Amino acid sequence: MSSFSIVVDTSCDLPQEFFTEYGIEIIPMPFDLDGMPHEMGYWQNISPKDYYDALRNGSIATTSQINPIVYTMMFTEYAKQEKEAIFMILSSGLSATYHNAVVALEEVKESYPDCGIFVLDTINATCGFGLLMLMAVEKREEGLSARETFEWLEARKHYLIGLFTVDDLMYLHRGGRLSKLSAIAGSVLNIKPLLNLAPDGSLALKEKVRGRTAAIEMITSQVVRSMAPGTSPDTIVICHTDCSEYAQTLADMLEAAVGVRRVIIAPMGPVIGAHIGPGSLTMIFEAGMTRTEYEERFY
C-alpha cells in the first residue's frame, strides 16, 4: 500500500475523527476574532457555538492566508526525509494561499529537484475540500502513488458541485459580493441567495429564493438534475454555521430524493464561516458532469 502523506489546511471541514482515523496532517489557517488571534487548529480555543454566537452578537472575524514560509519549512522537511506528500490547498479562487504554496515549492525544488511533493489547488473549500480529501484517502488505500493520486484528483475535482445558502446577506456585502442596498432589501424580504462554486473555485451568486425552506428545496433540486439518470452520489457532505437542524433537514431531503449512500454533517470551520456568517449551509457532491458543463447546461 502507498504510504504518502495527505496534508490539508483548516478550511477543510470534516468531523475531527476523520483526520485522526486517516492520519491527516492539518496546517492551521489563522483568524482573528475581535482582534484576538486564533492560530491553532480545529476549535482548539473556542467552540463552534461560541464562535457563531459571537458573530451574531456583532463580533468581527478576519482571516489570513498561510504564509509561504510555513510551506517552505514543511516542504523542506518532507524533502530532506524523502517523504512523498500531497498538500491540498484552499481554492485559489478564494485565497492566495495556493499561490504561496506554489512559490514555496518552487524554492524548495531548487535544492531538492526530485522531491515527491505535490501541491493541489482543490478549487474547493469547507465541505467540498473535505470530500476531495476523502477521495484522496480512498485512492491512497487503493495503492495509488502520490503522483497518481494527485493526477486523479486534478481531473476529478472538476466534478464536485458545491452549493451554498446564507442566512445574513450582510456577510456577502462585506465580502464585496452584494451591494449594501441589495443586502438590506433582501434581508427585509427574507431572501436567501443560492451560490455555487464556479469552475475556477470562486463563489458565484446563482439564484434567489424567499425563505430557508425554499433554499433547501432548491439545493435538493439542483442535485437531482445534476446526476445522470438512474445514478446517485456515493457521499454528500453538508457543513453548517450553527444551524444543525437545517443541515439535517437538507440531509433528509437529499436522501429521499437521490438515495445517497452516506451523508456527512459537520460544523463549518471559522475560516469560511467568517465570510458567510451564522445560519448558513453548504453542500457538496460528486456530479455526473463537470462544473463547466453544469454552468453551460443550467445557467
Side-chain angles (χ1 to χ4, degrees), residues 9-11 16 26-32 36-46 66 269-271:
D9 60 58
T10 43
S11 67
Q16 180 62 47
I26 305 173
I27 306 174
M29 293 193 75
F31 70 96
D32 288 5
M36 181 179 294
H38 294 255
E39 297 182 352
M40 301 299 291
Y42 273 70
W43 306 116
Q44 296 293 314
N45 50 7
I46 188 171
I66 297 174
V271 174

Side-chain angles (χ1 to χ4, degrees), residues 114-137:
D114 298 323
C115 68
I117 297 169
F118 302 89
V119 173
L120 178 73
D121 179 3
T122 63
I123 62 167
N124 276 281
T126 187
C127 58
F129 195 160
L131 180 55
L132 198 64
M133 188 206 83
L134 292 177
M135 294 163 72
V137 168

Side-chain angles (χ1 to χ4, degrees), residues 153-186:
L153 293 171
E154 277 283 10
R156 294 307 301 173
K157 69 184 184 182
H158 299 287
Y159 288 83
L160 298 190
I161 306 295
L163 302 171
F164 295 68
T165 184
V166 305
D167 190 50
D168 187 342
L169 295 173
M170 291 306 295
Y171 284 88
L172 294 181
H173 163 63
R174 292 171 195 160
R177 300 186 180 280
L178 203 62
S179 71
K180 187 172 184 179
L181 181 60
S182 295
I184 293 172

Side-chain angles (χ1 to χ4, degrees), residues 124 128 131-132 135 152 155-163 196-197 219-229 231-237 258 260 283-295 297-298:
N124 276 281
L131 180 55
L132 198 64
M135 294 163 72
W152 187 88
R156 294 307 301 173
K157 69 184 184 182
H158 299 287
Y159 288 83
L160 298 190
I161 306 295
L163 302 171
N196 72 355
L197 282 167
I219 289 174
T220 302
S221 69
Q222 294 277 40
V223 175
V224 171
R225 70 181 186 171
S226 301
M227 299 304 300
T231 66
S232 62
D234 179 77
T235 301
I236 287 176
V237 185
V258 296
V260 59
M283 182 276 309
I284 195 85
F285 66 103
E286 187 176 8
M289 63 184 74
T290 66
R291 288 183 192 172
T292 298
E293 291 167 337
Y294 175 87
E295 294 279 325
R297 184 172 302 184
F298 299 121

Side-chain angles (χ1 to χ4, degrees), residues 196-207:
N196 72 355
L197 282 167
D200 66 355
S202 61
L203 273 180
L205 182 60
K206 293 299 181 183
E207 308 272 359

